[in-house]
């Protein structure tokens, strides 16, 4: 299952509960639940602990009421040619209940065979069970050198890129949390597979070098193995430039002393409590230049130097990166 198949429908409708939808869903889907989380719990409890007949009857009342609300709300403006794809967990009662009523309206309705689980199996097969077919090139370099910005510049020039930090909603560092929080692992996987399906496997795909985790989500095995085997272009910049860029990129974070103190407690054990306290004092004193400079030179740079693959080139600037890409 890929984006080209899903693109054949006017709308993808996920009829599962909001919590199921939040954990993961098909790309581009909207959530029109036939039962919300509280309703599912009530009906499920009645079905298991009470009367199965009563549970089915009350469930039918709620499902009919909710579908009616969707017809009067989210679906009210759809014309006669509206072509939706509907799915629930397994392609069972919930999706067929919605499909039956929408079919009676006159819309050509398709129910996804196997439901969400069909999608999830395709994601797992692509990202965990099979080698990745894409030709990856890693952009590496010490913290603050501008790897993420370089991805954006390359994308603007028409180069294929894969923005893992964007998909994970995390900047991939100790201080990398972003507003809105991170997606679940399953939703990250879905976003990743959708992004990969949109890329040409015959042309290079530039990806920022990451660890096997971006914040709280793991990179799937096939991607991680492909990244480890990919050629590396290392970006270079002076420490002064890296400090300046870090202060710009993390301007919101450097004003939050509570977040800084919390992040410092998460540093590896080999960073002594005394050194952490010194760094926190710099931040509390407002000397953010010294704070960032100390973190880069004493924490991030030593960590960067361990276990790195030898780059095919060490360069600075967009044109230099493009020149190297032209030779790979």
């Amino acid at each position: 299952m890929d984006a080209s198949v899903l693109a054949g429908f006017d709308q993808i409708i996920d009829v599962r509960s909001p919590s199921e939808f939040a954990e993961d869903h098909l790309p581009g889907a909207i959530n029109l639940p036939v039962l919300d989380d509280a309703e599912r719990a009530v009906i499920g409890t009645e079905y298991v602990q009470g009367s199965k007949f009563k549970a089915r009857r009350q469930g039918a009342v709620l499902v009919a009421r909710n579908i009616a609300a969707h017809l009067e709300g989210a679906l009210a403006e759809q014309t006669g040619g509206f072509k939706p794809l509907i799915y629930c967990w397994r392609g069972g009662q919930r999706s067929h209940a919605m499909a039956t009523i929408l079919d009676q309206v006159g819309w050509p309705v398709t129910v996804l065979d196997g439901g969400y689980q069909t999608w999830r199996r395709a994601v797992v097969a692509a990202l965990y069970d099979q080698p990745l077919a894409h030709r990856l090139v890693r952009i590496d370099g010490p913290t603050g050198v501008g790897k993420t910005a370089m991805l954006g510049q390359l994308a603007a020039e028409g180069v294929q890129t894969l923005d893992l930090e964007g998909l994970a909603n995390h900047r991939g560092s100790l201080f990398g949390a972003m507003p809105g929080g991170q997606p679940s692992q399953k939703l990250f996987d879905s976003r990743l597979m959708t992004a990969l399906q949109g890329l040409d496997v015959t042309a290079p795909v530039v990806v920022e070098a990451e660890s096997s985790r971006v914040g709280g989500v793991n990179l799937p095995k096939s991607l991680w193995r492909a990244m480890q085997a990919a050629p590396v272009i290392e970006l270079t910049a002076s420490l002064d430039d890296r400090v300046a860029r870090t202060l710009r990129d993390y301007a919101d974070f450097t004003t939050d002393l509570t977040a800084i103190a919390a992040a410092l407690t998460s540093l590896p054990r080999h960073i002594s409590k005394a050194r952490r306290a010194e760094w926190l004092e710099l931040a509390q004193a407002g000397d953010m230049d010294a704070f960032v400079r100390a973190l880069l030179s004493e924490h991030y740079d030593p960590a960067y130097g361990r276990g790195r693959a030898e780059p095919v080139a060490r360069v600075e600037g967009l044109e230099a990166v493009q020149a190297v890409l032209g030779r790979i």
Side-chain angles (χ1 to χ4, degrees):
M1 177 182 294
D2 58 34
S4 63
V5 175
L6 300 179
F9 297 94
D10 296 323
Q11 185 66 70
I12 303 169
I13 301 175
D14 185 324
V15 301
R16 298 175 303 156
S17 67
S19 64
E20 292 173 293
F21 181 82
E23 183 183 23
D24 188 25
H25 51 266
L26 272 65
I30 62 171
N31 187 209
L32 300 181
V34 297
L35 292 172
D36 65 25
D37 292 301
E39 291 165 345
R40 273 193 83 207
V42 169
I43 298 302
T45 299
E46 178 64 34
Y47 190 87
V48 173
Q49 301 179 7
S51 164
K52 290 181 171 57
F53 171 76
K54 183 178 179 181
R56 286 193 293 266
R57 183 180 62 187
Q58 184 59 27
V61 170
L62 294 172
V63 167
R65 186 178 297 156
N66 289 332
I67 294 175
H70 297 322
L71 285 168
E72 293 175 333
L75 301 177
E77 302 301 319
Q78 298 296 345
T79 62
F82 178 55
K83 184 181 177 183
L85 173 69
I86 297 173
Y87 71 93
C88 60
W89 183 254
R90 297 185 182 87
Q93 291 182 343
R94 287 185 287 176
S95 54
H96 282 283
M98 174 74 91
T100 297
I101 294 177
L102 298 195
D103 179 71
Q104 290 301 307
V105 172
W107 289 323
V109 179
T110 301
V111 173
L112 178 60
D113 186 28
Y116 164 78
Q117 290 189 333
T118 295
W119 168 255
R120 181 59 188 169
R121 282 193 293 270
V123 171
V124 171
L127 299 181
Y128 292 88
D129 299 338
Q130 303 168 6
L132 203 67
H134 299 73
R135 295 171 49 202
L136 301 184
V137 178
R138 276 189 292 165
I139 292 290
D140 208 346
T143 300
V145 79
K147 298 184 289 293
T148 302
M150 179 58 67
L151 275 189
Q153 294 176 51
L154 289 169
E157 293 293 318
V159 177
Q160 291 194 127
T161 62
L162 182 63
D163 183 4
L164 296 175
E165 293 184 358
L167 296 174
N169 199 40
H170 196 282
R171 287 175 288 203
S173 67
L174 179 65
F175 304 95
M178 297 178 68
Q182 291 195 261
S184 70
Q185 182 66 49
K186 289 182 179 178
L187 184 53
F188 172 73
D189 290 348
S190 289
R191 291 177 178 178
L192 175 60
M193 188 169 102
T194 303
L196 288 169
Q197 286 178 341
L199 298 172
D200 180 0
V201 297
T202 67
V205 178
V206 182
V207 60
E208 183 175 343
E210 302 283 356
S211 68
S212 59
R213 288 175 64 85
V214 182
V217 298
N218 296 305
L219 299 186
K221 293 178 181 178
S222 64
L223 174 64
W224 179 242
R225 289 167 181 161
M227 288 174 64
Q228 293 299 101
V232 177
I233 301 173
E234 184 178 285
L235 297 182
T236 61
S238 69
L239 180 58
D240 287 343
D241 287 343
R242 291 167 53 213
V243 170
R245 178 181 291 277
T246 301
L247 288 170
R248 290 195 305 271
D249 291 349
Y250 290 82
D252 55 340
F253 187 86
T254 54
T255 60
D256 189 342
L257 292 177
T258 300
I260 288 174
L264 289 175
T265 63
S266 301
L267 287 171
R269 293 182 179 180
H270 68 268
I271 305 293
S272 69
K273 290 184 179 180
R275 198 67 187 106
R276 300 180 205 197
E278 292 174 9
W279 292 344
L280 182 57
E281 287 177 5
L282 290 173
Q284 291 171 333
D287 193 350
M288 300 311 300
D289 185 289
F291 170 70
V292 170
R293 191 176 296 270
L295 273 178
L296 292 181
S297 60
E298 299 180 48
H299 169 57
Y300 283 107
D301 286 359
Y304 173 75
R306 292 192 290 268
R308 293 284 169 171
E310 184 66 23
V312 296
R314 291 184 172 90
V315 298
E316 184 173 350
L318 175 63
E319 292 184 0
V321 171
Q322 289 177 305
V324 177
L325 284 173
R327 302 195 299 266
I328 294 178

